[in-house]
Amino acid sequence: LKAWTQVGDLTHELKEKEVLIRGRAQTTRAVGKNMAFVVVREKGFTVQCVVTARPDVVSKQMVKFAAGLSRESIVDIHGVVSVPSIAIKGTTQQVEIQVSKLYCVDKAMPTLPINIEDASRSEKEIEEALEAGEQLVRVNQDTRLNYRVLDFRTSANQGIFRIQCQVCNIFRQFLLSEDFVEIHTPKLIAGSSEGGSAVFKLDYKGQAACLAQSPQLHKQMAICGDFGRVFEIGPVFRAEDSYTHRHLCEFTGLDVEMEIKQHYTEVMDIVDHLFVTMFDHLNKKCSKYLEAVGRQYPFEPLKYLPKTLRLRFEEGVQMLKEAGVEIDPYGDLNTESERKLGQLVLEKYGTEFYILHRYPLAVRPFYTMPCYDDPKYSNSFDVFIRGEEIISGAQRVHVPEFLVERAQACGIDVSTISTYIDSFRYGAPPHGGFGAGLERVVMLFCGLNNIRKTSLFPRDPLRIAP
Ligand code: ATP
Ligand code: AMO
């Protein structure tokens, strides 16, 4: 038999068929000298393989060898699919394999720093196991991150990073179909791009430089160069001092910039169509992975509308006020009020995904265009999932004199961004865009509680390895 079957594809339909699989020996168990069970895992899916001593097919030594395999060793198994009369507990697949041949392709060391079975349990399963007096090691976040390669092997993590891959895939496919051009802006830059101090400074052959805290300036310059509509999927560096559940020092930015013909709502239209398309796709095409994540970290599917709700900042402030939360109408929302507003919006409009627009100008970056009708506000927006920000966006100032004025008002040293400012002196179309954080999109779509779960090798103020 030469064709390989994936463990995730082993279903009742394959009953009595011969199959060949490759996976990891997750657990092994001997029953007397004539029988052993090996649970084999591949990409987060598991199946029970039964090794029974049979004359001319499986020797007793083979049974012993199977029972003695070290956990996480890689095995090839050849056998016949069978359907047991009772439901199988503890594996994702509801069939077994009656083994005729078993080869160990690569042996793992006998004891590992993380037991994948223990690391795959939900909080509820851990509590039940402990109550039942089971021996079990609770695997904390730091241990998981220290031994990330092993941690990746849980079904939940296999799901998370396959979902993440699809988020990027849909982001790219959708924008390409809307005539956007994919660009790659430099990550080594001369000055801060967002204002503020959260940059990693470095020495660039004797010149002061920093790691880009956003592709902001260069994506706008691409618009000045007549690319019309651009996007980028790339690393973003922020020297965050805060150790929170949603801030990383390096994350993946999903950035968009586009000419606008009349109004900044054209940018919000793209956000609306893009993200509704993405969520529909994830629900339809990634259900296996969403289930795997939900088994370990239970969550409710995201509630969103076919046409995304757009709420004015002022209306948000009013809703909070009516709920007894006093906030400065020209200030920013803090984490708590963002959460509260998320709840109020869900109750009133039945959605956990919405756009809040026309933010006060004072709380937005220098490049943000003020509202024509009331310059205390701006043509800007944030987008929320489950009460937490995933996107910031806005129309930009494209008039160079005004841009200089705004940069100075925000305390920015204009000399560090002079080539950016000059780009607008050669004639620039009205434009706008937005930036989303990939790790936040996945974290919040899956209702996860920490951004480190959706970053492959997270970088935060306390961690730069592995
Ligand atoms: P960014 O603006 O860099 O995209 P963000 O919008 O998620 O990230 P900030 O703008 O830094 O976060 O802050 C948004 C709000 O989150 C702030 O108004 C602040 O109240 C809150 N916040 C930021 N950092 C922390 C922190 N370490 N602890 C608690 N709240 C924080
Ligand atoms: P902003 O600073 O709001 O806007 O960032 C855009 C999005 O990036 C994500 N994000 C983060 N994710 C993880 N860790 C962090 N430390 C972090 N900081 C931000 C969030 C956020 O919504 N140039 C503008 C975008 C634009 O206007 O086009 C910008 O960078 O999901």
Side-chain angles (χ1 to χ4, degrees):
L1 198 64
K2 289 219 178 89
W4 297 85
T5 303
Q6 302 237 359
V7 170
D9 294 335
L10 290 168
T11 60
H12 287 72
E13 279 150 43
L14 294 176
K15 191 179 167 182
E16 286 169 21
K17 293 267 179 331
E18 253 185 84
V19 291
L20 177 61
I21 61 168
R22 174 171 292 181
R24 291 187 183 272
Q26 178 163 291
T27 55
T28 60
R29 183 161 56 93
V31 182
K33 288 197 167 140
N34 291 324
M35 203 178 200
F37 294 101
V38 182
V39 171
V40 173
R41 189 190 69 243
E42 186 189 20
K43 297 180 185 147
F45 299 100
T46 46
V47 67
Q48 176 151 278
C49 301
V50 188
V51 191
T52 319
R54 278 175 285 162
D56 300 332
V57 186
V58 177
S59 65
K60 282 194 183 173
Q61 283 97 312
M62 178 57 94
V63 174
K64 193 174 168 194
F65 175 74
L69 282 167
S70 53
R71 287 182 178 209
E72 296 300 303
S73 293
I74 297 176
V75 289
D76 282 358
I77 282 183
H78 189 160
V80 173
V81 177
S82 66
V83 180
S85 49
I86 46 165
I88 306 177
K89 270 198 198 154
T91 58
T92 60
Q93 304 314 111
Q94 286 303 303
V95 295
E96 289 181 334
I97 296 179
Q98 302 299 327
V99 178
S100 51
K101 286 183 192 140
L102 182 152
Y103 304 99
C104 180
V105 178
D106 194 53
K107 222 167 48 183
M109 59 201 266
T111 44
L112 298 170
I114 289 183
N115 175 333
I116 309 301
E117 249 195 324
D118 288 349
S120 304
R121 300 192 206 216
S122 66
E123 243 341 278
K124 188 163 162 258
E125 286 167 341
I126 294 174
E127 271 157 33
E128 283 168 0
L130 290 175
E131 258 170 45
E134 231 181 279
Q135 287 273 314
L136 151 118
V137 184
R138 203 186 271 271
V139 189
N140 70 29
Q141 178 97 285
D142 263 342
T143 308
R144 286 180 190 278
L145 297 180
N146 287 340
Y147 302 102
R148 193 62 160 152
V149 170
L150 285 169
D151 185 38
F152 286 150
R153 298 183 190 172
T154 65
S155 305
N157 277 336
Q158 287 292 310
I160 286 170
F161 292 99
R162 288 186 158 82
I163 291 165
Q164 189 186 83
C165 165
Q166 285 306 312
V167 168
C168 292
N169 180 33
I170 300 304
F171 183 79
R172 176 177 283 121
Q173 293 300 324
F174 178 90
L175 292 170
L176 290 175
S177 75
E178 292 283 334
D179 209 22
F180 282 78
V181 179
E182 182 163 10
I183 59 168
H184 303 279
T185 62
K187 303 306 157 202
L188 287 167
I189 61 176
S192 127
S193 48
E194 293 291 311
S197 58
V199 293
F200 286 104
K201 296 199 170 114
L202 52 92
D203 172 63
Y204 188 77
K205 304 273 179 203
Q207 260 187 73
C210 63
L211 292 175
Q213 59 185 164
S214 157
Q216 185 63 37
L217 308 187
H218 296 90
K219 69 178 180 175
Q220 284 189 255
M221 288 161 83
I223 297 300
C224 293
D226 281 354
F227 285 103
R229 301 179 131 194
V230 298
F231 74 93
E232 175 164 6
I233 302 175
V236 175
F237 303 93
R238 306 259 166 120
E240 299 282 354
D241 276 330
S242 50
Y243 191 84
T244 74
H245 75 283
R246 64 192 179 99
H247 287 92
L248 293 169
C249 292
E250 178 177 350
F251 64 94
T252 304
L254 302 173
D255 272 83
V256 161
E257 201 66 24
M258 58 189 265
E259 286 184 14
I260 57 187
K261 299 289 186 235
Q262 277 173 319
H263 207 269
Y264 73 103
T265 52
E266 291 160 36
V267 183
M268 298 199 291
D269 291 341
I270 292 288
V271 170
D272 179 359
H273 295 153
L274 166 58
F275 280 85
V276 169
T277 304
M278 184 187 291
F279 300 155
D280 285 348
H281 175 96
L282 294 178
N283 285 329
K284 245 186 254 148
K285 299 278 167 68
C286 294
S287 55
K288 273 207 286 198
Y289 300 127
L290 290 167
E291 277 160 27
V293 178
R295 267 197 303 277
Q296 183 165 0
Y297 307 111
F299 69 97
E300 289 293 316
L302 181 72
K303 295 187 183 71
Y304 61 99
L305 303 171
K307 179 157 179 28
T308 305
L309 173 73
R310 295 170 197 197
L311 202 67
R312 280 189 174 215
F313 187 84
E314 283 162 290
E315 194 184 340
V317 169
Q318 187 58 29
M319 283 170 73
L320 284 167
K321 212 168 163 186
E322 281 163 16
V325 186
E326 274 310 321
I327 56 163
D328 173 2
Y330 298 114
D332 208 348
L333 299 179
N334 60 24
T335 308
E336 226 173 291
S337 45
E338 285 177 349
R339 282 243 171 86
K340 180 72 189 168
L341 187 57
Q343 278 172 16
L344 297 172
V345 166
L346 176 61
E347 284 159 22
K348 187 166 175 188
Y349 298 101
T351 180
E352 294 171 298
F353 175 67
Y354 76 100
I355 302 174
L356 190 66
H357 65 121
R358 272 176 74 98
Y359 268 69
L361 182 66
V363 303
R364 305 300 288 202
F366 73 96
Y367 49 74
T368 310
M369 183 68 96
C371 288
Y372 301 116
D373 59 343
D374 184 351
K376 279 211 208 51
Y377 290 98
S378 60
N379 286 354
S380 66
F381 58 89
D382 273 7
V383 183
F384 297 87
I385 296 186
R386 304 186 206 260
E388 296 198 49
E389 178 198 316
I390 59 151
I391 294 176
S392 277
Q395 181 181 354
R396 325 297 187 185
V397 174
H398 62 278
V399 180
E401 296 74 25
F402 187 43
L403 194 56
V404 170
E405 192 186 313
R406 290 289 308 142
Q408 280 167 343
C410 292
I412 288 169
D413 176 0
V414 180
S415 69
T416 62
I417 52 169
S418 57
T419 49
Y420 163 74
I421 306 264
D422 286 345
S423 309
F424 300 94
R425 302 191 200 278
Y426 320 132
H431 64 284
F434 64 89
L438 172 64
E439 294 82 356
R440 281 200 195 172
V441 172
V442 178
M443 166 177 86
L444 293 162
F445 184 78
C446 295
L448 295 167
N449 62 3
N450 197 304
I451 197 162
R452 289 160 190 79
K453 289 194 170 79
T454 58
S455 171
L456 206 61
F457 292 102
R459 264 77 183 103
D460 65 34
L462 301 176
R463 180 179 287 279
I464 193 167

